[in-house]
């Protein structure tokens, strides 16, 4: 009865959508446990490109039940748009299930996200502007609206009123904006109730029953380790827990039921938004990775900041997530680089660090220390086994594995779903033997 978790090991956009989709054939349920429509997955199926922001990538695999877990914040407008977009392209979305306990991103959360960022000025986080932070603030502050509230009009009105009493004071007095109307907001939210009703269930019961029956549940964490509000580069993080533990909380599947934790790692590093980034390249190599890797944010269209692979980050990600396997993506992007640098230590004001420093101040001061590996020039996009890779590429992968302290079980060599080298079976359990 394997329950498997997928987590981004860096700052997001590692290609989790592709990994999820790759496993999709053997998986019965794909759960999104955290985040909202701040995510961005690009999945290419037979040359056709799908961009998803809110829905789990499993929605593209026939036979898979996609589930939005209790830990997600759901923007109902974005949900409707995404369902309509997929339906128009012939994808059946009728099996989608949403937790009654998931929180709603209300229109005022989006407004607050934008005004708060403006208010922060130089200290802005560079959020996606989707209202994610304010929605999670309300959840933790016990002022949130949950999906189930849309099925009780009088409770919904009370909750909207409770939330807006505080928000309107902020909007008008601090941010100099117009007041948000309570009735209008309530009506707007209620207008989604009929559309939602058939999709909303007790997803914890749904998923645990599925595990009891021996079905495979994949939890696909949104964002990534270094955007985790606890373990990431705070405050330049998102407002949820994308690390492995957050998948349990965000789906109601207990940790004892999780059999595998798969970290997704890009063969180099990217970041969207503000915050420290020791291996960032502001030269022609940064442009190279950006151009060849197509590094533009799916969600906001912002170019991603690019840099070399950072082995300290990955070792830390292995530690805080307890990864059992790594999936290395976009190895093909490094083709043609004569000497490929890997960051193996930080120089922090003259002191050498081989592990992530304890404080954010040290991380801000970290200067990367590189070792280099010989590169390769052969086109690797057609390789389907490790043996087919040029020796230099094999050595690069082997070195990353050593430095991470975790095995690399799949290697992405191109954007298409098929362009992957499977090294070890990613699904544990009797019917999915692991060839270590
Ligand atoms: P928020 O999640 O919109 O509040 O944004 C907080 C930070 O997380 C910003 O730096 C965003 O660019 C970043 N972020 C949020 N979601 C993603 C993602 O899916 N990929 C990469 N970065 C993300």
């Amino acid at each position: 009865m394997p329950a498997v978790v997928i987590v981004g090991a860096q700052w997001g956009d590692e290609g989790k959508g592709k990994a999820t989709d790759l496993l999709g054939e053997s998986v019965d349920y794909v759960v999104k446990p955290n985040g909202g429509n701040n995510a961005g997955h690009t999945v290419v199926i037979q040359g056709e490109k799908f961009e998803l922001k809110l829905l789990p990538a499993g929605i593209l695999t026939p036979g898979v039940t996609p589930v939005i877990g209790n830990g997600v914040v759901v923007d109902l407008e974005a949900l409707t748009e995404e369902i309509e977009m997929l339906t128009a392209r012939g994808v059946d979305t009728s099996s989608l299930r949403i937790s009654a306990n998931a929180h709603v991103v209300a229109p005022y959360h989006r407004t607050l996200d934008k005004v708060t960022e403006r208010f922060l000025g130089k200290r802005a986080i560079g959020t996606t502007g989707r209202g994610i932070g304010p929605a999670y603030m309300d959840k933790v502050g016990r002022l949130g609206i949950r999906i189930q509230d849309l099925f009780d009009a009088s409770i919904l009105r009370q909750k909207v009123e409770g939330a807006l009493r505080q928000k309107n004071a902020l909007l008008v007095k601090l941010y100099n904006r117009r007041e948000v109307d309570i009735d209008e907001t309530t009506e707007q939210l209620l207008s989604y109730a009929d559309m939602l009703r058939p999709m909303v269930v007790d997803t914890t019961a749904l998923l645990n029953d599925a595990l009891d029956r021996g079905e495979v549940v994949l939890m696909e964490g949104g964002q990534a380790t270094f955007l985790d509000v606890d373990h990431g580069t705070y405050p330049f993080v998102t407002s949820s827990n994308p690390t492995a533990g957050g998948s349990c909380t965000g789906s109601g599947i207990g940790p004892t039921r999780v059999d595998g934790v798969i970290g997704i790692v890009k063969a180099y590093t990217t970041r969207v938004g503000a915050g420290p980034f020791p291996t960032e390249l502001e030269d022609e190599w940064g442009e190279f990775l950006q151009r060849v890797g197509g590094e533009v944010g799916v969600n906001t269209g912002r170019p991603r900041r690019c840099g070399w692979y950072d082995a300290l980050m990955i070792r830390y990600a292995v530690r805080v997530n307890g990864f059992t396997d790594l999936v290395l993506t976009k190895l093909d992007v490094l083709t043609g680089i004569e000497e490929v640098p890997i960051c193996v230590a930080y120089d922090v004001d003259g002191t050498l660090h081989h592990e992530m420093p304890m404080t954010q101040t040290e991380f801000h001061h970290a200067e990367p220390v590189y070792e280099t590996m010989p590169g390769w020039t052969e086109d690797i996009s057609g390789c389907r086994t490790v043996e087919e890779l040029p020796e230099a590429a094999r050595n690069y992968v082997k070195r990353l594995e050593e430095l991470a302290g975790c095995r690399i079980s799949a290697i992405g060599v191109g954007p298409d779903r098929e362009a992957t080298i499977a090294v070890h079976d990613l699904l544990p359990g009797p019917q999915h033997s692991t060839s270590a």
Side-chain angles (χ1 to χ4, degrees):
M1 50 98 205
V4 177
V5 178
I6 285 193
V7 180
Q10 293 149 319
W11 277 295
D13 311 306
E14 296 90 352
K16 290 190 295 285
K18 186 182 173 189
T20 309
D21 200 56
L22 192 74
L23 284 165
E25 307 280 327
S26 0
V27 165
D28 301 294
Y29 290 80
V30 174
V31 190
K32 178 180 170 104
N34 74 290
N37 60 322
N38 50 344
H41 289 322
T42 306
V43 183
V44 182
I45 300 177
Q46 278 151 12
E48 207 184 336
K49 198 162 158 185
F50 291 88
E51 292 190 343
L52 301 172
K53 291 174 185 157
L54 175 64
L55 295 174
I59 198 141
L60 297 170
T61 309
V64 167
T65 303
V67 177
I68 292 185
N70 53 279
V72 175
V73 288
V74 183
D75 182 319
L76 299 167
E77 208 178 299
L79 175 73
T80 315
E81 270 173 25
E82 222 158 282
I83 290 176
E84 283 172 358
M85 178 273 287
L86 290 173
T87 308
R89 292 177 67 180
V91 178
D92 178 14
T93 59
S94 61
S95 58
L96 176 66
R97 294 292 173 266
I98 302 178
S99 166
N101 288 350
H103 278 247
V104 169
V105 181
Y108 50 82
H109 291 133
R110 284 196 297 261
T111 310
L112 280 164
D113 197 352
K114 289 185 183 132
V115 292
T116 313
E117 281 283 274
R118 226 169 290 147
F119 191 75
L120 283 171
K122 274 208 327 245
R123 295 182 55 239
I125 309 296
T127 71
T128 57
R130 305 285 187 246
I132 306 299
Y136 277 115
M137 278 167 74
D138 274 2
K139 172 179 172 171
V140 177
R142 292 163 294 185
L143 281 173
I145 312 286
R146 295 194 291 176
I147 294 281
Q148 59 181 287
D149 298 328
L150 306 190
F151 305 136
D152 185 332
S154 94
I155 283 284
L156 179 67
R157 194 184 184 289
Q158 280 175 41
K159 292 199 172 177
V160 171
E161 190 177 1
L164 281 179
R165 197 177 307 140
Q166 183 219 42
K167 310 271 174 284
N168 275 335
L170 262 179
L171 283 170
V172 173
K173 297 201 177 112
L174 183 62
Y175 297 122
N176 205 18
R177 302 279 294 214
R178 269 210 316 261
E179 208 172 81
V180 177
D181 187 81
I182 296 168
D183 289 322
E184 212 176 285
T185 306
T186 310
E187 284 311 312
Q188 201 178 348
L189 294 173
L190 275 177
S191 70
Y192 292 99
D194 287 341
M195 184 266 292
L196 286 170
R197 211 178 298 271
M199 300 179 215
V200 178
V201 295
D202 177 346
T203 50
T204 63
L206 179 80
L207 296 169
N208 281 284
D209 288 351
L211 289 173
D212 289 344
R213 288 193 301 272
E215 292 179 307
V216 178
V217 176
L218 183 70
M219 293 174 261
E220 180 202 334
Q223 290 78 49
T225 303
F226 286 86
L227 291 172
D228 186 285
V229 69
D230 282 84
H231 300 293
T233 46
Y234 189 90
F236 301 101
V237 291
T238 192
S239 298
S240 65
N241 286 115
T243 42
S247 285
C248 293
T249 316
S251 63
I253 293 176
T256 51
R257 304 205 85 170
V258 175
D259 308 86
V261 183
I262 304 167
I264 315 299
V265 186
K266 213 182 284 198
Y268 49 97
T269 315
T270 63
R271 173 165 208 170
V272 191
F277 181 171
T279 64
E280 181 170 18
L281 296 161
E282 286 172 290
D283 56 11
E284 68 274 22
W285 285 116
E287 276 167 38
F288 172 91
L289 294 173
Q290 213 251 315
R291 177 171 44 80
V292 181
E295 297 296 351
V296 177
V298 171
N299 203 307
T300 54
R302 290 181 285 184
R304 296 179 187 140
R305 300 158 63 193
C306 295
W308 299 125
Y309 186 90
D310 184 334
L312 283 77
M313 284 179 65
I314 306 308
R315 211 160 37 238
Y316 174 86
V318 170
R319 186 206 306 163
V320 298
N321 291 292
F323 290 144
T324 52
D325 300 86
L326 293 174
V327 171
L328 182 69
T329 60
K330 293 193 152 184
L331 184 63
D332 53 302
V333 175
L334 301 182
T335 302
I337 302 173
E338 214 169 304
E339 294 278 326
V340 191
I342 302 173
C343 171
V344 291
Y346 297 147
D347 181 334
V348 180
D349 304 323
T351 306
L352 215 56
H353 288 245
H354 292 279
E355 298 293 339
M356 279 292 287
M358 186 180 77
T359 68
Q360 188 72 0
T361 305
E362 290 166 303
F363 192 61
H364 273 268
H365 291 193
E367 290 293 335
V369 177
Y370 292 111
E371 70 176 33
T372 55
M373 300 283 294
W376 59 94
T377 50
E378 300 90 330
D379 176 4
I380 60 168
S381 61
C383 298
R384 294 294 174 270
T385 63
V386 175
E387 293 68 38
E388 283 165 38
L389 285 174
E391 195 187 354
R394 276 206 306 274
N395 289 340
Y396 180 73
V397 173
K398 206 161 140 227
R399 183 68 184 132
L400 299 193
E401 201 167 44
E402 269 167 21
L403 288 164
C406 183
R407 67 182 190 176
I408 292 176
S409 295
I411 305 163
V413 290
D416 212 76
R417 190 191 218 179
E418 289 79 33
T420 306
I421 299 174
V423 188
H424 302 288
D425 197 336
L426 286 173
L427 288 175
Q431 69 276 47
H432 305 282
S433 67
T434 306
S435 50

